[in-house]
Amino acid sequence: MAVTLAEVALHAGVSPATVSRVLNGGYPVAGTTRTRVERAVEDLGYIANGPARALAAATSDLIGVLVHDVADSFFGILAGSLQSALAPGGPGGARRLAVVCNTEGAPAAELDYLALLEGQRAGGVVLTGGAVEEPEHTRALAARLARIAATGAPVVLCGRPPLPMPAGLPVATVMFDDRGGAFRLAEHLLTLGHRNIAYVAGPPGLSTTRERLAGHQDALRDHDPALPAHCAGLTVHAGFERSAGYDATRELLRRGAPFTAVAAANDTVATGVAAALREAGLRIPEDVSVAGFDDLPVCVDTAPALTTVRLPLREAGVLAAQLVTGRRALPPGGITTLPAELTVRASTAPPPATAPAATAPPVTAPPATGLPAATEGGRR
């Protein structure tokens, strides 16, 4: 015979309403009381009636997690940490089912998945990665999320800026300090003595690209007001995948303007940058310094190890899980900004006395990187 909620309450020495609050995860319950209830659930083998709970609460145990590219290590780490935190015994302790939706960075797919999650009465939604900065999409996205949040289902924007939403809704924003991290990275290169600094930026029209490029340019401007214009011809917009970094670097080499350092939009792009430089006969960092962003696991295995900016991806996943299940109260203003930490390794050094000459050789075969294979990156 199935164990009832009342039996769990009796076993834990609490009211049935308290058991319901713990199981639904959307209400504050004292830590010791929550522990007693969770232990009673385990001892008795209680299994919640999902459909009944969904009808009663107007939501389900399903948490939708939208990512741009599940094959990209950036999103894999973030989503994996979030999912682990939602599992029984995880740091989120919320016992929810995380469903990962791969949007491939397409705005229409983002809205379509949200419509499906709304139809399934999802108990919460987490959107990860940079936002497409297109006014019509921003309005449609904000309206869709407002409808979901109005049912009581928390919404968390993770790695993207806040949206214009009505006050009082359970909406939280977890941001990375992309601008500050890019500033510190450019400042590091400037301190080493670099002035001809190339920058392989992400795709235009994406919040991540805008923030990181702005931070890079801020550092140049603070060092010398003439530097942003001086380096303007050394900036190339590209995708977030390895091949984009390779192609962008070949383009920089074709232009012929000398550069002694390349800051890449992310670590995956940086591996493509390194491949193109080596193919052109340039040494890293003796001839050209290379730096990335994110601090993915591959960074310590590159040769040389990659200087980068560390984003706390795992910590962000746990925090998003706590916010979307109500285990952590919304911060003041609903926004939490996580730090970005400069991590200096062997791929950056002072510039050579004279900028080396190099050109992009014709491609006759798939380029060899001299580096461990890195996961292709999607839109951040």
Side-chain angles (χ1 to χ4, degrees):
M1 185 174 179
V3 177
T4 66
L5 186 142
E7 289 172 318
V8 173
L10 182 63
H11 189 82
V14 299
S15 69
T18 298
V19 175
S20 179
R21 291 190 184 99
V22 171
L23 294 177
N24 288 329
Y27 303 88
V29 177
T32 54
T33 302
R34 183 180 296 278
T35 299
R36 291 208 314 274
V37 172
E38 291 175 344
R39 186 176 294 120
V41 168
E42 290 292 337
D43 291 346
L44 299 177
Y46 174 75
I47 299 175
N49 185 327
R53 284 176 58 193
L55 288 173
T59 60
S60 71
D61 289 332
L62 184 153
I63 301 294
V65 182
L66 275 64
V67 302
H68 290 177
D69 184 359
V70 72
D72 182 346
S73 294
F74 177 95
F75 293 105
I77 292 169
L78 190 58
S81 174
L82 194 156
Q83 190 166 27
S84 295
L86 292 174
R95 303 172 184 272
R96 300 295 180 91
L97 174 64
V99 176
V100 178
C101 307
N102 193 60
T103 68
E104 298 182 350
E110 199 168 60
L111 294 174
D112 288 344
Y113 276 122
L114 289 174
L116 289 172
L117 291 168
E118 184 180 8
Q120 292 295 317
R121 295 183 174 183
V125 172
V126 180
L127 281 79
T128 67
V132 175
E133 298 188 314
E134 196 281 315
E136 185 176 347
H137 175 67
T138 298
R139 286 192 294 271
L141 183 63
R144 176 74 67 181
L145 291 174
R147 285 201 300 271
I148 293 174
T151 69
V155 171
V156 179
L157 308 173
C158 187
R160 60 171 64 197
L163 285 167
M165 304 278 278
L169 294 178
V171 179
T173 300
V174 178
M175 298 178 64
F176 296 118
D177 185 16
D178 285 317
R179 188 166 188 157
F183 183 98
R184 287 183 281 277
L185 181 59
E187 188 177 51
H188 164 67
L189 295 173
L190 290 164
T191 300
L192 288 174
H194 294 278
R195 297 298 178 269
N196 298 318
I197 303 173
Y199 188 78
V200 181
L206 203 62
S207 62
T208 307
T209 299
R210 174 178 50 78
E211 286 294 302
R212 295 183 184 182
L213 180 56
H216 177 80
Q217 292 176 334
D218 286 347
L220 297 180
R221 188 177 300 106
D222 281 6
H223 190 85
D224 180 347
L227 268 182
H230 173 72
C231 295
L234 296 175
T235 297
V236 179
H237 282 279
F240 280 126
E241 62 274 3
R242 177 196 173 280
S243 59
Y246 176 82
D247 292 340
T249 305
R250 285 176 56 84
E251 172 61 25
L252 287 168
L253 292 169
R254 275 193 293 267
R255 291 179 182 180
F259 56 89
T260 61
V262 182
N266 66 25
D267 299 331
T268 307
V269 169
T271 62
V273 170
L277 292 174
R278 285 201 173 93
E279 190 177 87
L282 297 171
R283 299 166 300 165
I284 303 168
E286 293 85 355
D287 296 324
V288 181
S289 290
V290 177
F293 207 107
D294 296 337
D295 197 21
L296 300 179
V298 71
C299 292
V300 296
D301 295 321
T302 60
L306 187 67
T307 292
T308 186
V309 174
R310 180 188 180 273
L311 295 184
L313 299 177
R314 290 181 175 83
E315 295 89 334
V318 172
L319 176 58
Q322 293 170 339
L323 288 167
V324 81
T325 56
R327 288 299 183 102
R328 179 175 294 209
L330 295 179
I335 300 173
T336 300
T337 301
L338 299 179
E341 177 186 354
L342 175 66
T343 303
V344 178
R345 299 193 178 99
S347 68
T348 51
T354 57
T359 58
V363 176
T364 56
T369 67
L371 301 171
T375 303
E376 289 289 311
R379 301 185 72 176
R380 295 292 171 88

